[in-house]
Amino acid sequence: MTTSPTRIQVNPSVPGDGRPDYIRIQDYGFWYGAKKALDAITLDIPERQVTAFIGPSGCGKSTLLRNLNRMNDLIDAVRHEGDITVGGRSIYDPTVEVISLRRRVGMVFQKSNPFPKSIYENVVYSLRVAGVSDRDILDETCESSLRRAALWDEVKDRLQDSALGLSGGQMQRLCIARAIANQPEILLMDEPCSALDPIATGKIEELIHHLKAQFTIVIVTHSMQQAARVSDRTAFFYLGKLVEADRTEKIFMNPAQSQTEAYISGRFG
Amino acid sequence: MDTKETSGIRRHEVNPRTLAIDRWMARLINVGGVGVIAAVLGMLVFLVAQVVPLFRGAELEELPSAQLPAGVAALVVDEYGELPCAVMPDGELRFHRLDGSLAKSWRPDLPGRSVTAVRAYPRDGIVLMGLDDGSVAEVKVGHRSRFEAAGARVVEADPALASVLPIVPGAALESVHHVRGPAGRVVLVRHASPAGARLVAVKVAERRALGGKVRSTPSAPAAVGAGLAGVVGEVLMANGERILAVLADGQAVVFADADGSYPEVQRFRPFPDSPGARPTSLGLVLGDVTVVLGSDQGHEEAWSLYPQRQADGSEVRAFGRIHVNEALGGRADGFAPSPVNKCYVASSRGSLEIRHMTTGTVRWSGPPVESFLAGFLSKNHDQMGVLESSGRLRRWKVDDHHPDGGWRAFFAPIWYEGGTGPEHAWQSSSGNDEFEPKLSLIPLIYGTLKGTLYAMVFALPVALLAAVYVSQFLRPELKRVIKPTMEIMASLPSVVLGFLAGLWLAPLVDGHLVALLLAVLALPTTALVFGTAWSRLPLAARRRIPPGWEFAALVPLLAVSVGAAWLAAPSVEAALFSVRDPGTGQMVADFREWWRLATGMSYDARNSVVVGFVMGFAVIPVIFTIAEDALSNVPPALTSGSLALGASRWQTVWRVVVPTAMAGIFSAVMIGFGRAVGETMIVVMATGNTPVMELNPFSGMRTLSANIAVELPEAPVGHTHYRALFLGACCLFLMTFVLNTAAEVLRQRLRERYKVV
């Protein structure tokens, strides 16, 4: 494992750098065993915006997303080079507990994965594991998280029912409510709508739109339309490399790279 | 083959052979499936068929009556009930055939003396006769049976006068008794005297001289109950040379031999619960230590000689009430014991019954006989007869194969003869013939559960924690080695484990018990201390060891802690478990002695700790494998979801993985439990097989399965013992069946609750 300097220089020319919800990726490479999945990625993800990662399957966008809260640590024989900083501090800093990193960088998965517990217990899970047992705090957090996830009105009468009785779209919003309950700064979304119907997708997209006022959101998506609809910035990956990253309008209207243009217009991918 | 030509490309139809094979295989599979179900049901039917006869009562069928002369004094019947011998008051023995005809008549040759009292001992084929000169004559009835060439059975009688002994010279005897012991016999007579009836006992020492002649030497006569103003009513002689007399007021008095005299040792009132009741029938059941008394109001009680603690702390054998039986149909008026078991005929004004003394059950009940003069149960327990005063001998064919069976015999606490209270006991065989088997299954069920308990206490934490560790924390490359290793462990034959337990582990544990107990304490403590210390270490230090390799740091520590326990054991034993050696007066460090003294419980080398350890060893791989599978099958999406929310690995395991896998873990536990309940070889070889009922970890046990394995080869097919073993098998089956069903219901509910999308 390559260990990078604990603290990297905050770049004063970038306005948000150093804020706790600002992500900076520098010369980042990543291997699954002998296979190189990411190659020298350098990218800034500014705060309180939606950044979309797009690209064909296997281009490394999900890998990069999962590295932002070190979920890939669970996999065997991985290694990295370069560095990722969140709030100016390396996520690989040996004094940083991976648990506390994940409490600041929440995640929503491609397939909704509610725990086989009640809706209530799902939402307050992150508080429970943090040792909160005050009923008032839990109740309040549950309600506010569900409201922010636009699910409160649909489930307020059956909070103690199993979360597994919800519809697919509701489950995914429950997972979002669960991820934001502990007030992270950054929310990672790994193709959150790929298993949902258009109506549920619409609701999630609307939700993302509201949530970006509070969170830095990184979303991986296969749908160009979705990227265009929800994101402020878009990064296009191809074969483990970052091809181009810029404001979304720029990427979709006037990409700098011909590969981006080819992908956007559906000529490959 | 059917093919069609379509635009130049051939379409291949299904081969008829494929269809035929498909049909045949489907049938074969059906036959197999139905066969399995039939086999299981068949076994069940077999088991039940073996057991059901134990719970049947006796069935009787009346045979034609035989006419004997009226005024018979006593009755002696041969083994087959074909040549009853009526003992007349004047000493004549009249052998009648069943059609009423006289086969033989015989009188003892007693010139110048006449018979004044007779008493028959049908079991021994002996009639005692009291004479008018104060002598007692012993007559052998001499029933014999032989088989003729054609196979027909002929019963004959060859009566003979065995001895004539003077007891109270000159007195006309009113009644005679005797009881035979190893050194001779005690003869008891009653005769009239100016002060009223008098009881006199004479001990007769018998020595077999050369040539087989028995030489009898009577001792000096001793008055029984001297000072008692005349003994009225019935007199009995029990074993242990006790004489029990019922007085006119209904009290019973007991006299015991004390070097030639017979002082009164006990006086009790039968039927203490109903003060008005008086005994109207009494008799000793087989074994001569228990007297069954029937009252004029139909009560029935059994009083037996057993050691009773006195006020001064000493123990004295005295009569005590051991059973209060179901009431008879009316005034009790007759009693006849069986010569082969604890059954007896109890006659009353309301009913004629066969009862079993030990279990206190009514085997059969029928309408009363006209009057009860004498009765018998045959030596094969296949015939019953009652002689009415008119001389009519009523006879029944008895079909009662398991007189000592019934629910009470197997499941209720029973007060056995000689015991000091009702108890559950399993003691199926012994050296002598009068021994009564004790067949309570409760100690065996208890032993089964005890063995299972100790095995599970050891196996559950180890197996479940190992499953959690291996599935959630261990490196995958190590997991690939450890899982198959555990599965190999599961395939170790239990006879090998039992052998190791009995011959290697038990002596080892016996010698190093304190070290073992210390190690049991030290291992988890070390692990916990290590865990705490580890979590306090700075992150940088912890990073040195990659996740999943933490055990590499722990294992040497564990080895050290076991070594320390081993070394510290002698000094700990000396400090905490020293006892004074009664022989030398020195203090000795010996945990086993200390345990006996401190807890009052026993210590055996083949004990529950050894069994728990080895049976646990047999159960661990079963539980581990299934639980590990269940834990590994929890979708990784749930684990990632929990970790992404900032839960630690342990929180993830405890709050998400374990609840989700609960149904699987539960079935793992239940399967392990089932394995422990049914485990046979280990318990046979390592428990000592003592059917004790105590939770003491340092005593053994006898389980249902071990009991079957040990005793079935010795049990005669069809006998009560044999069927009782099958009853044990049924209990075992029922236990696992109920357990598995409950477990399955619970598992389904858990699965419903924690089902994953």
Side-chain angles (χ1 to χ4, degrees):
Chain A
M1 194 188 287
T2 325
T3 313
S4 307
T6 6
R7 214 164 250 281
I8 59 159
Q9 199 81 47
V10 171
N11 188 347
S13 65
V14 182
D17 200 2
R19 285 177 57 108
D21 45 4
Y22 192 95
I23 304 169
R24 208 158 169 213
I25 304 163
Q26 282 198 324
D27 290 330
Y28 190 74
F30 189 79
W31 283 263
Y32 290 113
K35 185 175 167 281
K36 189 163 194 180
L38 292 173
D39 185 16
I41 309 282
T42 298
L43 175 69
D44 275 31
I45 300 172
E47 76 281 4
R48 309 253 166 130
Q49 288 189 25
V50 178
T51 303
F53 287 181
I54 61 170
S57 295
C59 68
K61 56 191 190 303
S62 275
T63 301
L64 181 60
L65 186 83
R66 292 170 63 86
N67 274 336
L68 296 181
N69 68 348
R70 293 183 56 185
M71 287 303 283
N72 279 339
D73 284 17
L74 302 172
I75 302 165
D76 268 341
V78 293
R79 65 193 173 90
H80 71 272
E81 62 179 17
D83 203 1
I84 298 172
T85 62
V86 172
R89 214 167 162 203
S90 168
I91 62 169
Y92 294 107
D93 185 333
T95 61
V96 172
E97 280 276 13
V98 67
I99 292 170
S100 56
L101 171 72
R102 290 182 189 144
R103 299 188 77 80
R104 289 165 52 209
V105 185
M107 188 161 193
V108 175
F109 294 83
Q110 177 173 8
K111 190 164 172 282
S112 60
N113 55 354
F115 303 131
K117 295 170 182 283
S118 67
I119 294 171
Y120 182 90
E121 284 301 326
N122 263 284
V123 178
V124 302
Y125 184 81
S126 59
L127 277 72
R128 290 259 191 223
V129 297
V132 178
S133 59
D134 185 327
R135 196 79 203 174
D136 292 336
I137 297 177
L138 293 177
D139 286 348
E140 197 188 309
T141 310
C142 176
E143 181 175 345
S144 67
S145 307
L146 285 170
R147 277 191 195 285
R148 283 191 289 170
L151 193 58
W152 175 252
D153 294 328
E154 292 162 58
V155 301
K156 63 182 175 199
D157 300 324
R158 46 177 176 138
L159 290 176
Q160 297 308 325
D161 290 4
S162 170
L164 303 177
L166 298 175
S167 74
Q170 287 173 325
M171 280 195 205
Q172 194 58 296
R173 277 181 284 150
L174 178 68
C175 290
I176 293 172
R178 190 172 71 179
I180 62 180
N182 198 39
Q183 209 57 33
E185 281 133 5
I186 295 158
L187 196 55
L188 308 176
M189 295 180 151
D190 191 356
E191 300 186 41
C193 304
S194 65
L196 300 181
D197 62 61
I199 295 171
T201 303
K203 285 189 176 172
I204 303 270
E205 287 179 359
E206 202 186 321
L207 181 59
I208 292 172
H209 195 71
H210 286 297
L211 289 174
K212 75 175 177 185
Q214 299 163 46
F215 306 101
T216 302
I217 295 174
V218 186
I219 179 167
V220 165
T221 179
H222 262 122
S223 155
M224 239 76 69
Q225 291 77 9
Q226 187 172 55
R229 281 195 301 268
V230 302
S231 69
D232 303 302
R233 294 174 61 82
T234 299
F236 171 59
F237 292 84
Y238 185 58
L239 296 178
K241 289 193 167 68
L242 175 65
V243 177
E244 190 175 354
D246 212 325
R247 284 181 301 104
T248 301
E249 311 89 83
K250 174 101 191 330
I251 293 279
F252 279 86
M253 298 304 196
N254 186 18
Q257 303 290 325
S258 58
Q259 264 180 332
T260 315
E261 207 271 324
Y263 181 70
I264 301 275
S265 54
R267 267 180 278 147
F268 76 97
Chain B
M1 198 180 291
D2 220 4
T3 52
K4 264 185 198 159
E5 203 73 30
T6 321
S7 63
I9 304 166
R10 276 152 57 101
R11 187 173 76 205
H12 296 268
E13 294 294 342
V14 177
N15 188 334
R17 268 187 61 206
T18 309
L19 292 173
I21 290 174
D22 188 67
R23 267 197 303 278
W24 275 105
M25 287 316 286
R27 271 177 216 162
L28 202 66
I29 288 165
N30 277 336
V31 168
V34 171
V36 167
I37 295 172
V40 170
L41 283 179
M43 283 195 290
L44 205 61
V45 167
F46 173 75
L47 271 183
V48 170
Q50 289 299 319
V51 162
V52 161
L54 287 176
F55 298 101
R56 288 217 184 103
E59 276 166 26
L60 271 71
E61 182 192 330
E62 181 148 18
L63 301 171
S65 303
Q67 189 60 44
L68 303 185
V72 172
L75 183 69
V76 179
V77 182
D78 64 289
E79 189 176 354
Y80 302 101
E82 289 180 2
L83 194 66
C85 166
V87 185
M88 306 309 285
D90 63 354
E92 182 190 4
L93 303 189
R94 293 173 66 91
F95 295 89
H96 284 260
R97 298 194 190 90
L98 291 177
D99 58 10
S101 59
L102 185 65
K104 189 171 201 169
S105 170
W106 179 89
R107 247 174 227 285
D109 180 28
L110 301 160
R113 291 176 281 187
S114 62
V115 173
T116 53
V118 294
R119 176 166 303 263
Y121 292 88
R123 194 194 313 159
D124 309 323
I126 283 173
V127 177
L128 282 192
M129 298 183 182
L131 307 181
D132 58 353
D133 69 343
S135 302
V136 171
E138 185 184 6
V139 170
K140 291 202 164 121
V141 177
H143 275 121
R144 274 181 325 188
S145 53
R146 61 183 173 82
F147 291 87
E148 289 190 326
R153 184 172 60 212
V154 177
V155 179
E156 295 168 329
D158 186 13
L161 183 61
S163 68
V164 181
L165 276 177
I167 302 293
V168 191
L173 303 182
E174 289 174 351
S175 84
V176 285
H177 302 265
H178 79 177
V179 65
R180 209 174 272 280
R185 55 187 183 131
V186 180
V187 178
L188 174 75
V189 298
R190 189 172 71 177
H191 66 90
S193 76
R198 208 173 144 241
L199 283 174
V200 173
V202 173
K203 280 184 159 179
V204 184
E206 289 180 339
R207 281 180 58 201
R208 193 166 286 275
L210 281 173
K213 266 204 96 150
V214 174
R215 183 177 301 165
S216 303
T217 351
S219 68
V224 174
L228 200 68
V231 173
V232 216
E234 288 272 356
V235 178
L236 282 179
M237 287 187 73
N239 228 341
E241 286 147 21
R242 304 278 161 135
I243 296 164
L244 184 144
V246 174
L247 305 183
D249 65 351
Q251 278 197 90
V253 194
V254 185
F255 308 100
D257 174 28
D259 293 327
S261 69
Y262 282 84
E264 176 184 334
V265 292
Q266 193 192 356
R267 187 179 278 239
F268 66 90
R269 180 174 282 285
F271 318 112
D273 307 327
S274 28
R278 301 161 60 93
T280 49
S281 81
L282 74 164
L284 293 162
V285 294
L286 179 71
D288 288 348
V289 293
T290 303
V291 53
V292 173
L293 299 121
S295 86
D296 55 347
Q297 295 167 18
H299 307 97
E300 192 184 68
E301 291 181 352
W303 290 67
S304 185
L305 265 180
Y306 66 90
Q308 290 180 23
R309 191 168 289 281
Q310 303 298 302
D312 62 356
S314 62
E315 279 200 345
V316 173
R317 264 164 70 84
F319 278 97
R321 186 167 68 167
I322 64 168
H323 293 303
V324 177
N325 293 339
E326 207 175 300
L328 297 161
R331 179 191 165 89
D333 63 1
F335 175 91
S338 159
V340 289
N341 55 40
K342 305 282 184 191
C343 283
Y344 55 88
V345 180
S347 168
S348 71
R349 282 300 85 230
S351 61
L352 180 70
E353 294 178 2
I354 299 179
R355 294 185 165 207
H356 192 264
M357 193 281 293
T358 313
T359 57
T361 48
V362 177
R363 304 293 307 158
W364 174 82
S365 179
V369 289
E370 215 166 86
S371 57
F372 186 99
L373 198 65
F376 71 89
L377 280 165
S378 69
K379 276 194 173 151
N380 296 326
H381 198 64
D382 59 358
Q383 228 185 89
M384 174 177 85
V386 173
L387 181 64
E388 296 177 343
S389 47
S390 62
R392 184 161 75 121
L393 178 64
R394 293 184 64 186
R395 302 184 310 128
W396 288 264
K397 182 171 167 286
V398 176
D399 186 12
D400 186 14
H401 297 288
H402 305 287
D404 45 358
W407 288 111
R408 258 192 245 176
F410 300 116
F411 299 105
I414 287 180
W415 196 327
Y416 293 100
E417 280 181 344
T420 54
E423 57 175 341
H424 294 287
W426 175 274
Q427 191 181 351
S428 56
S429 55
S430 135
N432 81 37
D433 286 344
E434 285 187 1
F435 163 82
E436 183 184 24
K438 300 169 185 168
L439 298 175
S440 175
L441 292 178
I442 301 293
L444 308 179
I445 293 172
Y446 190 93
T448 304
L449 295 177
K450 180 183 173 187
T452 308
L453 174 80
Y454 280 103
M456 294 308 258
V457 161
F458 172 66
L460 271 190
V462 175
L464 292 183
L465 292 176
V468 168
Y469 184 76
V470 169
S471 71
Q472 304 296 319
F473 295 95
L474 193 64
R475 305 287 302 168
E477 59 265 32
L478 289 170
K479 181 175 159 180
R480 279 195 290 274
V481 178
I482 284 181
K483 253 202 108 178
T485 312
M486 290 294 270
E487 276 152 16
I488 289 171
M489 211 172 122
S491 65
L492 263 182
S494 63
V495 67
V496 173
L497 290 177
F499 180 78
L500 285 176
L503 289 154
W504 171 73
L505 188 66
L508 187 75
V509 169
D510 195 36
H512 303 277
L513 193 59
V514 176
L516 184 89
L517 294 178
L518 281 182
V520 166
L521 283 179
L523 280 175
T525 317
T526 313
L528 287 177
V529 168
F530 174 80
T532 318
W534 179 257
S535 66
R536 297 277 157 81
L537 278 181
L539 203 58
R542 277 188 273 163
R543 287 238 170 134
R544 296 251 174 87
I545 293 180
W549 284 102
E550 293 90 345
F551 72 91
L554 177 61
V555 167
L557 267 179
L558 291 179
V560 168
S561 79
V562 170
W566 192 268
L567 293 178
S571 35
V572 170
E573 190 167 16
L576 295 178
F577 307 118
S578 283
V579 283
R580 192 170 297 283
D581 188 323
T584 60
Q586 302 271 309
M587 292 299 280
V588 225
D590 189 343
F591 178 83
R592 294 164 287 184
E593 270 311 310
W594 178 86
W595 176 263
R596 284 193 197 106
L597 292 174
T599 64
M601 291 192 275
S602 58
Y603 176 91
D604 304 315
R606 304 275 183 279
N607 57 43
S608 306
V609 171
V610 175
V611 171
F613 194 73
V614 176
M615 200 144 84
F617 196 79
V619 169
I620 283 171
V622 178
I623 301 180
F624 170 83
T625 310
I626 301 170
E628 204 277 337
D629 281 342
L631 289 163
S632 293
N633 285 340
V634 170
L638 289 184
T639 323
S640 319
S642 171
L643 291 171
L645 288 167
S648 67
R649 282 195 291 173
W650 171 246
Q651 284 173 324
T652 303
V653 166
W654 188 242
R655 289 168 180 265
V656 175
V657 177
V658 168
T660 309
M662 199 40 108
I665 295 175
F666 191 73
S667 40
V669 172
M670 281 317 170
I671 290 171
F673 202 90
R675 167 90 203 259
V677 165
E679 177 54 55
T680 308
M681 278 326 287
I682 294 175
V683 282
V684 166
M685 297 171 88
T687 58
N689 290 315
T690 39
V692 292
M693 284 182 62
E694 48 178 32
L695 266 180
N696 179 4
F698 298 110
S699 70
M701 70 201 76
R702 191 185 191 93
T703 69
L704 284 167
S705 53
N707 190 54
I708 294 168
V710 170
E711 295 192 4
L712 201 55
E714 298 168 6
V717 174
H719 280 221
T720 309
H721 181 203
Y722 176 84
R723 293 191 194 280
L725 292 175
F726 274 98
L727 182 65
C730 275
C731 286
L732 200 56
F733 174 79
L734 205 69
M735 273 163 77
T736 41
F737 179 79
V738 167
L739 210 76
N740 284 351
T741 309
E744 185 59 25
V745 169
L746 208 64
R747 197 176 73 84
Q748 292 293 349
R749 289 182 56 181
L750 280 173
R751 199 155 76 172
E752 192 57 33
R753 188 158 159 208
Y754 292 113
K755 74 164 180 224
V756 180
V757 232

